[in-house]
Amino acid sequence: LFSACGVDDAKRLRGIFGNQDSSAEDIDYALRLMEETGARKKVAEESSALAASSEAMIGDLDGADGTYWSLLQELVDYNMNRIR
């Protein structure tokens, strides 16, 4: 997000991220920038690709049909579907 926005936007974002006192307006501003710059879409695409890669690696593990495989698969599913 920082590399996709201008200097002034990046400066404001630095004050928002990690700041527990950020206002609702600040959060809306950051979310709007994420949409406008395409950062949200790019992260979603990269996350999906990494999840698919992880699932393939899990499937290649020895004994991948047992309990541990299920737990690893659940972990991938959780990370892709959790409410952020």
Side-chain angles (χ1 to χ4, degrees), residues 3 8-9 14 17 54 58 68 71 78:
S3 63
D8 291 337
D9 289 327
R14 282 188 196 90
F17 283 100
S54 297
I58 291 167
Y68 295 117
L71 291 172
Y78 168 79

Side-chain angles (χ1 to χ4, degrees), residues 1 4-5 13 17 27-44:
L1 177 58
C5 64
L13 287 173
F17 283 100
I27 303 303
D28 289 342
Y29 172 80
L31 292 172
R32 183 176 46 80
L33 273 180
M34 290 171 66
E35 291 295 334
E36 290 176 0
T37 62
R40 182 184 295 262
K41 181 179 178 185
K42 184 176 180 179
V43 167

Side-chain angles (χ1 to χ4, degrees), residues 2 11-28 30:
F2 285 92
K11 182 179 179 180
R12 183 168 176 191
L13 287 173
R14 282 188 196 90
I16 295 171
F17 283 100
N19 181 355
Q20 294 182 0
D21 297 324
S22 293
S23 68
E25 180 184 325
D26 290 334
I27 303 303
D28 289 342

